C-alpha cells in the first residue's frame, strides 16, 4: 500500500494549485450531505426491535459455531480499571467521527488525489453499510441477555446513546452490523499508509486495532460486525480504482529524457569508443531531480 507522491500533489490542491474556497465549500457540503443521508437512512430501520433481537441471537450463535473469541474477555480487561473503561467509552464516543474528518481534511489539502480515492471508498462502504443496516437490524451485545455483558457507556460514561433504545431519536441503536467505527478506522489507516512514505506509516494500523478492542470491549459490537465491515471495505477497494501516482520507475522513463549512449556526442553524432558524452551529466542531473522529487 506504499505510495510516493509527485511535487504537484504534495501540499497543493488538484492540478498543483492550492484548493480554492469554492471547491472546499463544495466538498464540505458533499461530505455533510452524504453523512446526513446515511443518518436519515439509518433511522428508517427503527421500530424493528423484535427482529433486531432475533438477529442478535443468530449472530451470537454463529460466533460460537465459528469458534470466534468471546466479547466477554475483552470487556473484563477494561473493567479492571474505572479509568480504563472510561477512556474506552470516550474513545468510542469522541474519536470516531473527528478523526475521520481530520483525516479527510489533511488528504484534501496535502494529497488531493488520495482524497478523491478515499472519499469514494468511504462513500461506497457507507452506502453498503446503510443497505445492510436496513436489511438486517441488529441489537448490539450490550442488549443481549445471553452475552452477559455490561453497557459500559451507561454504567461508567460517557455514552452517545439514550438509555431507552426504542425512544432514542438521535441514533439507531439497532444498526450494529457492520461496525462503521471499525470500517472507517481501517480505511483511515490504509489511506495514510497509501498517501505517505514514512517508515513509521504502518503504525497507523494501531488506530483500527484500538478501535476494534474498544467497540468489542464496550459491548457496542460483535466480532462479526468488524469482520463484515472489513469485507465490505475490501469490496469497496476493489471497486474504486487506486490513484495513479508516478513512481521512481515511471520518472526514469519520462518521454524526452532518454540518456544518450556512451558513443554519442553532445550533438548526437557518433563519437570515438570510450568518449564521455558531455551532455550525459546534464541528462543524469535532470533525471535525478525528477527521481528525488517523487521520493
Amino acid at each position: 500500500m506504499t505510495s510516493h507522491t509527485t511535487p504537484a500533489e504534495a501540499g497543493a490542491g488538484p492540478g498543483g494549485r492550492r484548493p480554492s474556497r469554492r471547491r472546499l465549500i463544495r466538498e464540505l457540503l458533499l461530505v455533510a450531505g452524504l453523512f446526513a443521508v446515511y443518518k436519515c437512512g439509518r433511522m428508517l430501520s427503527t421500530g424493528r426491535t423484535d427482529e433486531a433481537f432475533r438477529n442478535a441471537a443468530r449472530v451470537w450463535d454463529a460466533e460460537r459455531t465459528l469458534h470466534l473469541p468471546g466479547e466477554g474477555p475483552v470487556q473484563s480487561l477494561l473493567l479492571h480499571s474505572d479509568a480504563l473503561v472510561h477512556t474506552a467509552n470516550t474513545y468510542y464516543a469522541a474519536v470516531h467521527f473527528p478523526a475521520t474528518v481530520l483525516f479527510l481534511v489533511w488528504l484534501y489539502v496535502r494529497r488531493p488525489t488520495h482524497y478523491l480515492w478515499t472519499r469514494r471508498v468511504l462513500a461506497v462502504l457507507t452506502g453498503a453499510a446503510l443497505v445492510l443496516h436496513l436489511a438486517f437490524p441488529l441489537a448490539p451485545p450490550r442488549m443481549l441477555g445471553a452475552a452477559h455483558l455490561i453497557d459500559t457507556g451507561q454504567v461508567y460514561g460517557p455514552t452517545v446513546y439514550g438509555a431507552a433504545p426504542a425512544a432514542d431519536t438521535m441514533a439507531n441503536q439497532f444498526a450494529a452490523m457492520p461496525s462503521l467505527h471499525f470500517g472507517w478506522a481501517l480505511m483511515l489507516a490504509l489511506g495514510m499508509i497509501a498517501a505517505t512514505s514514512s517508515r513509521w506509516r504502518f503504525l497507523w494500523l494501531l488506530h483500527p486495532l484500538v478501535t476494534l478492542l474498544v467497540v468489542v470491549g464496550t459491548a457496542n459490537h460483535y466480532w462479526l460486525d468488524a469482520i463484515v465491515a472489513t469485507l465490505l471495505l475490501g469490496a469497496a477497494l476493489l471497486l474504486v480504482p487506486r490513484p495513479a501516482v508516478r513512481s521512481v520507475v515511471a520518472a526514469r522513463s519520462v518521454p524526452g529524457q532518454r540518456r544518450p549512449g556512451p558513443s554519442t556526442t553532445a550533438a548526437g553524432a557518433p563519437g570515438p569508443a570510450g568518449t564521455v558524452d558531455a551532455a550525459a551529466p546534464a541528462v543524469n542531473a535532470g533525471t535525478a531531480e525528477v527521481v528525488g522529487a517523487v521520493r
Side-chain angles (χ1 to χ4, degrees), residues 173-194:
Q173 299 191 41
F174 299 122
M177 180 180 287
S179 169
L180 282 182
H181 269 75
F182 180 73
W184 286 12
L186 183 57
M187 185 57 208
L188 186 157
L190 296 178
M192 290 302 296
I193 291 172

Side-chain angles (χ1 to χ4, degrees), residues 7 15 208 213 258:
L213 296 177
R258 200 177 85 185

Side-chain angles (χ1 to χ4, degrees), residues 8-100:
E9 185 181 14
R17 301 185 302 272
R18 290 286 179 181
S20 66
R21 180 176 299 179
R22 178 180 298 178
R23 179 177 174 84
L24 176 60
I25 294 175
R26 186 185 70 181
E27 288 295 330
L28 289 174
L29 291 176
L30 176 61
V31 173
L34 290 173
F35 183 73
V37 169
Y38 168 73
K39 292 291 288 185
C40 293
R42 273 176 53 124
M43 299 306 295
L44 294 176
S45 62
T46 57
R48 301 164 65 183
T49 304
D50 293 340
E51 185 179 356
F53 278 99
R54 287 195 298 270
N55 289 334
R58 295 188 183 105
V59 168
W60 183 259
D61 292 340
E63 287 191 342
R64 308 292 77 78
T65 301
L66 295 172
H67 302 289
L68 294 179
E71 289 80 1
V74 180
Q75 185 171 93
S76 297
L77 292 176
L78 296 182
L79 295 178
H80 279 301
S81 166
D82 288 357
L84 185 59
V85 70
H86 184 81
T87 300
N89 288 333
T90 303
Y91 196 94
Y92 181 86
V95 173
H96 167 59
F97 191 69
T100 306

Side-chain angles (χ1 to χ4, degrees), residues 227-265:
I227 293 173
V228 172
T230 303
L231 293 176
L232 291 179
L233 176 58
L237 290 171
L238 290 176
L239 289 173
V240 180
R242 286 187 60 187
V245 181
R246 289 191 303 171
S247 64
V248 175
V249 175
R252 289 174 176 169
S253 58
V254 175
Q257 291 190 352
R258 200 177 85 185
R259 180 192 297 184
S263 60
T264 305
T265 64

Side-chain angles (χ1 to χ4, degrees), residues 3-18 109-114 195 244-248 251 254 286-295:
S3 177
H4 300 282
T5 56
T6 62
E9 185 181 14
R17 301 185 302 272
R18 290 286 179 181
V109 174
R110 301 299 301 274
R111 303 289 189 270
T113 303
H114 286 85
V245 181
R246 289 191 303 171
S247 64
V248 175
V254 175
T287 304
E289 181 179 355
V290 173
V291 173
V294 300
R295 289 185 185 275

